[in-house]
């Protein structure tokens, strides 16, 4: 027994890095399951199959893959071999459903990327992919027993969904992806890498008949996990490729640009009309004021004439002093009439002020926010998508602890490279529109190690107000971005609004 446990812990120095696609991303969570029964230091049973993670340390497989554990209770070692890394692990059976042919294994010391279960509708003819470790490939390539505990990427095969069937009381998916003994317990995926079912059996292909595979339906798997008290991520959104989503975004951006241009034209026409109305109103007010000035000048002129006539009359009557006063008053009135006529207002259209424009808040959508997923703009493969609560400040500080750097197109960006997850997240917030985007890259071990190495060069860990520090952060993050694949695996788009109880 000790010798077998040592063999299960055998270290190897080679692992195949996963490609940057959805199936390879799912493959990081697929494992080989090996069972060895030992009685009186003799190997009396050996079996192997496949499995996949539904939690970081929880593996789903078929009940018949671990049937030795029931036949030789207490004398069976369950080995779990991940697709990456340099060693295998010992597992413990924690739940078994013989009727559904499902089992749940717990593994200590292993942290795998869990796969998500697809719970939406499946149409006949839709593409399917099987991942696992078919025994016929092992028989052709294995050189020794140790090869069965060597971390290797799972074998993929493609087919289509051919309909729903029942095996006994269990609902199963019929499909054409090639599977063999050893694929049992491995996942049947859609093209986005989400679990449709658990491969369990295949039809015989005697006399040239085509072979079909049976996978335990995702609804049966969800029921089994629920009864076992094991949580799992459920995704029901349609599978759309990142290229299709980006094409939709470009089309939406072009449409938005056209709408903005149309709104700008309408606003310009409205502004021109408002300007014309303002000029016309100013002209009318000016003319009324000019007429008032001229009428006033005319009145003063008449009064000046009357004063001059009075002065002359008084002079003929010998009232010299009174005549002087009346003549002086008439002169003042005449001067006032001339001044009032000269200062009458003229009209200059350029002097009319522009109509007041309504402007939006300078900082956009800030403060305490609640962000909700926009499914039609998102691509979800493995992530849960609850609402995101955040506190955004105008200087790019998120939740008072994470500094974002200025990014093109009026956005802010931060790249997160965690130690405990094989996923790099590029987080972007656009205050002008209240849009929050989480773009996720699910990487293999080698690429993840390189991203972590580059992350060490990022000096700004906390919020900082100075622009120089943010500019340096943007430069450092550019190196990480350059190491990422051309396209991500997920793109989660959220719309943010002020949280309730905030202004």
């Amino acid at each position: 027994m000790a010798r077998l446990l040592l063999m299960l812990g055998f270290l190897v120095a080679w692992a195949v890095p996963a490609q940057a696609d959805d199936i390879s991303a799912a493959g990081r969570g697929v494992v080989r399951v090996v069972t060895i029964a030992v009685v009186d230091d003799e190997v009396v049973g050996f079996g192997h199959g496949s499995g996949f993670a539904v939690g970081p340390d929880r593996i789903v497989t078929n009940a018949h893959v671990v049937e030795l554990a029931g036949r030789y209770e207490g004398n069976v070692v369950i080995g779990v071999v991940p697709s990456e890394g340099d060693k295998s692990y010992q597992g413990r059976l924690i739940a078994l459903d013989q009727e559904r042919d499902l089992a749940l294994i717990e593994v200590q010391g292993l942290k795998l990327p869990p796969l998500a279960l697809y719970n939406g509708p499946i149409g006949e003819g839709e593409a399917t992919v099987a991942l696992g470790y078919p025994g016929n490939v092992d028989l052709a390539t294995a050189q020794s027993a140790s090869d069965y505990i060597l971390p290797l990427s799972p074998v993929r095969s493609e087919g289509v969904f051919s309909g729903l069937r029942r095996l006994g009381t269990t609902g199963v998916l019929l499909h054409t992806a090639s599977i063999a003994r050893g694929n049992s317990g491995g996942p049947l995926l859609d093209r986005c890498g989400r679990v449709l079912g658990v491969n369990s059996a295949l039809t015989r292909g005697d006399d040239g008949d085509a072979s079909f595979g049976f996978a335990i339906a995702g609804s049966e798997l969800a029921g089994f996990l629920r009864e076992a008290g094991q949580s799992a991520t459920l995704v029901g959104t349609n599978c759309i490729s990142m290229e299709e989503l980006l094409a939709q975004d470009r089309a939406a951006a072009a449409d938005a640009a056209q709408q903005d241009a149309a709104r700008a034209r309408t606003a310009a026409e409205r502004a021109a009309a408002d300007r014309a109305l303002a000029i016309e109103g100013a002209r009318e007010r000016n003319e009324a004021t000019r007429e008032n000035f001229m009428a006033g000048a005319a009145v003063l002129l008449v009064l000046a004439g009357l004063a001059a006539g009075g002065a002359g009359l008084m002079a003929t009557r010998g009232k010299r002093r009174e005549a002087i006063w009346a003549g002086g008053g008439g002169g003042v009135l005449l001067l006032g009439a001339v001044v009032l006529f000269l200062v009458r207002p003229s009209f200059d259209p350029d002097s009319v002020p522009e109509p007041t424009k309504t402007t939006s808040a300078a900082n956009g959508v800030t403060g305490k926010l609640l962000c909700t997923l926009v499914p039609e703009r998102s691509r979800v493969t493995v992530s849960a998508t609850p609402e995101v609560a955040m506190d955004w400040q105008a200087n790019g500080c998120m939740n008072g602890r994470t500094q974002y750097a200025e990014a093109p197109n009026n956005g802010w960006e931060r790249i997160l490279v965690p130690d405990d997850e094989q996923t790099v997240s590029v987080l972007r917030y656009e205050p002008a529109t209240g849009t929050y985007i989480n773009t996720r890259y699910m990487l293999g071990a080698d690429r993840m190690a390189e991203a972590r190495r580059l992350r060490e060069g990022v000096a700004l860990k906390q919020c900082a107000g100075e622009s120089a520090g943010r500019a340096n952060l943007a430069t450092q993050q550019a190196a990480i971005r350059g190491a990422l694949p051309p396209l991500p695996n997920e793109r989660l788009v959220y719309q943010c609004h002020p949280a309730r109880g905030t202004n």
Side-chain angles (χ1 to χ4, degrees):
M1 176 71 76
R3 179 167 54 85
L4 292 169
L5 289 176
L6 180 62
M7 184 169 61
L8 283 172
F10 177 75
L11 301 180
V12 295
W14 177 58
V16 177
Q19 302 173 29
D21 63 62
D22 297 323
I23 304 304
S24 290
R28 303 172 308 160
V30 175
V31 301
R32 186 199 297 272
V33 178
V34 179
T35 57
I36 304 173
V38 178
V39 177
D40 296 330
D41 288 332
E42 280 192 33
V43 176
V44 296
F46 175 83
H48 71 94
S50 305
F52 60 93
V54 291
D57 60 349
R58 298 290 174 88
I59 306 296
V60 164
T61 189
N62 284 143
H64 74 258
V65 170
V66 293
E67 61 91 16
L68 288 176
R71 198 191 316 169
Y72 300 99
E73 188 173 354
N75 293 293
V76 173
V77 174
I78 300 176
V80 174
V81 188
S83 61
E84 296 183 313
D86 57 6
K87 64 179 179 179
S88 55
Y89 298 80
Q90 186 170 346
R92 179 174 67 92
L93 185 64
I94 59 173
L96 189 69
D97 188 329
Q98 296 285 3
E99 187 172 342
R100 288 191 179 111
D101 193 19
L102 293 172
L104 186 64
I105 299 170
E106 183 180 59
V107 185
Q108 295 293 331
L110 179 61
K111 190 165 188 179
L112 292 169
L115 279 65
L117 279 59
Y118 177 66
N119 63 350
I122 313 171
E124 290 194 15
E126 289 191 17
T128 60
V129 180
L131 284 184
Y133 296 91
N136 51 7
V137 174
D138 290 328
L139 289 174
T141 59
Q143 302 298 314
S144 66
S146 64
D147 286 340
Y148 285 90
I149 56 169
L150 179 71
L152 290 171
S153 59
V155 176
R156 70 169 76 183
S157 60
E158 300 179 358
V160 296
F161 171 61
S162 302
L164 292 170
R165 296 290 188 274
R166 299 200 74 81
L167 288 180
T169 60
T170 301
V172 295
L173 310 179
L174 185 65
H175 66 87
T176 62
S178 296
I179 59 174
R181 295 178 179 84
N183 278 105
S184 294
L188 181 70
L189 309 171
D190 67 6
R191 58 191 174 94
C192 279
R194 304 172 302 190
V195 177
L196 302 174
V198 184
N199 284 313
S200 178
L202 67 158
T203 61
R204 296 181 63 178
D206 295 338
D207 299 324
D209 291 341
S211 293
F212 289 86
F214 292 99
I216 298 163
S219 57
E220 301 279 5
L221 173 59
F224 166 71
L225 294 175
R226 187 167 53 249
E227 293 165 10
Q230 175 62 45
S231 62
T233 300
L234 302 177
V235 177
T237 56
N238 291 332
C239 179
I240 180 174
S241 72
M242 188 58 66
E243 292 87 349
E244 291 174 305
L245 185 63
L246 294 178
Q248 289 182 8
D249 278 356
R250 288 191 294 270
D255 184 59
Q258 290 181 348
Q259 293 181 15
D260 288 344
R263 283 192 291 268
R265 287 193 298 271
T266 301
E269 292 169 358
R270 184 181 297 114
D274 291 344
R275 171 76 174 164
L277 287 174
I279 291 174
E280 185 61 28
R283 189 190 304 278
E284 291 176 356
R285 291 190 297 273
N286 177 267
E287 290 178 355
T289 304
R290 281 172 62 86
E291 290 175 358
N292 290 335
F293 270 64
M294 294 176 69
V299 170
L300 291 178
L301 187 60
V302 169
L303 292 176
L306 292 175
L313 181 62
M314 292 178 185
T316 59
R317 294 180 179 181
K319 297 180 178 180
R320 186 171 177 275
R321 176 175 294 185
E322 288 82 352
I324 293 173
W325 279 105
V332 171
L333 289 171
L334 178 62
L335 180 61
V338 171
V339 170
L340 197 60
F341 180 80
L342 293 176
V343 299
R344 70 192 187 282
S346 61
F347 180 71
D348 180 6
D350 292 335
S351 66
V352 179
E354 295 286 343
T356 302
K357 297 179 181 179
T358 302
T359 58
S360 58
N363 296 326
V365 184
T366 62
K368 295 185 182 298
L369 308 174
L370 190 63
C371 308
T372 306
L373 185 78
V374 184
E376 60 272 19
R377 294 188 60 195
S378 301
R379 183 176 196 264
V380 186
T381 59
V382 299
S383 296
T385 56
E387 291 180 324
V388 176
M390 66 181 189
D391 185 351
W392 180 263
Q393 301 303 315
N395 64 352
C397 179
M398 171 80 81
N399 296 333
R401 61 178 182 270
T402 304
Q403 181 65 54
Y404 282 50
E406 285 94 337
N409 301 321
N410 301 316
W412 295 78
E413 198 170 88
R414 185 66 190 247
I415 301 179
L416 299 183
V417 186
D419 286 324
D420 57 353
E421 183 182 353
Q422 279 187 250
T423 301
V424 173
S425 295
V426 179
L427 306 177
R428 178 183 175 88
Y429 183 59
E430 299 171 356
T433 59
T435 304
Y436 177 61
I437 304 174
N438 183 355
T439 304
R440 292 165 54 83
Y441 297 80
M442 298 165 194
L443 307 181
D446 291 349
R447 243 176 171 162
M448 198 70 206
E450 175 63 11
R452 290 181 180 127
R453 185 189 68 78
L454 293 171
R455 179 198 58 188
E456 297 304 317
V458 179
L460 189 60
K461 304 296 184 181
Q462 298 177 338
C463 288
E466 73 280 1
S467 59
R470 298 197 300 267
N472 189 43
L473 173 62
T475 301
Q476 294 163 341
Q477 291 190 148
I480 301 176
R481 179 179 282 282
L484 297 175
L487 292 176
N489 297 94
E490 282 192 322
R491 185 170 180 269
L492 313 179
V493 180
Y494 296 82
Q495 185 62 52
C496 302
H497 304 279
R500 290 182 180 178
T502 62
N503 294 327

